[in-house]
Amino acid sequence: MGKVTWGFTASLDGFIAGPGHDMSWLEDLAAREHEAHSTEGAGLEDGVVEALAGEVGAIISGRAGYDAALAQRDQRGELTSEAYGGAFSGTEFILTHRPEELAEDPTVVPLDCHVTEAVRRAREAAGAKDVQIISADIARQALEHDLIDEMQVFVAPVFLGDGTRIFEVPGGRRVDWELVGAIPGAARSLGRVYRPRR
C-alpha cells in the first residue's frame, strides 16, 4: 500500500492559493520559468510532474478548490486547470456536504464522510500507489488523525499577502516535521519531502 501524502506549492509568505482560490500567480511563475529556463516551468525540470503524478493513484480534494477550478476554468492554464497539469490518471475524490451536486461530473467521486473514511476509500482506490491530499483544510483534518505519512513542498518566489494558508488552526497547533530529502528535478522550486515527527 502506498503513502498518504500532502503536496502543494506555497508562496514565500505561506499561501497555497490567492484570495478566492486564485492560481494565476502560479501560472505566471510557470510561464516566466519556462521562458527563462526552457523547462516545464514553476522551477521544475522536464519530466518531474509526470514522475510525481505516476506515483499517485488517488487524490483527495476539497469542494472550495473544485468550485474555484470550475469558475476559473477560462482563466486557468494547463498547469492549474487539472491535477498535475493533466498528467494524473487516477481517481479524484471531492469531499463535500452536497455530493449530489457533483453527481453529473464523471471526472470526480464526491464523498460526504469523515476524513478517516475518505482516506480509507482513497487508499483502496489507489492500490499500491500513493494517495495525494491537495487541500489545506483536508490535510489539517488528516493531521489531526495522524493520517499523513509525507509532505511534498515546493516554494514559489512570490508574496501573495492573502488567500489560503498552508496550515491554519485558531489558537495554533504545533506539528513538527523532519526532512526526508530533496525532490529530484525540483531544485529551483526548493522541492522537499518531509515526514511528520511522531
Side-chain angles (χ1 to χ4, degrees), residues 102-113:
L102 278 61
E104 300 299 315
D105 185 346
T107 66
V108 299
V109 177
L111 295 177
D112 182 9
C113 61

Side-chain angles (χ1 to χ4, degrees), residues 26-93:
L26 190 54
E27 295 282 354
D28 293 345
L29 173 67
R32 285 196 308 271
E33 283 285 320
H34 182 74
E35 186 175 298
H37 303 284
S38 298
T39 66
E40 290 183 354
L44 303 176
E45 294 177 13
D46 290 337
V48 173
V49 172
E50 289 79 6
L52 291 170
E55 296 176 3
V56 178
I59 286 176
I60 303 175
S61 306
R63 180 65 188 267
Y66 171 86
D67 287 345
L70 283 181
Q72 299 167 11
R73 67 179 156 231
D74 293 337
Q75 292 87 37
R76 290 194 181 192
E78 186 177 288
L79 180 65
T80 62
S81 61
E82 296 181 69
Y84 290 99
F88 172 69
S89 62
T91 304
E92 183 171 2
F93 295 92

Side-chain angles (χ1 to χ4, degrees), residues 19 46 71 98 123 126 186:
D46 290 337
R98 303 178 312 280
R123 276 186 177 275

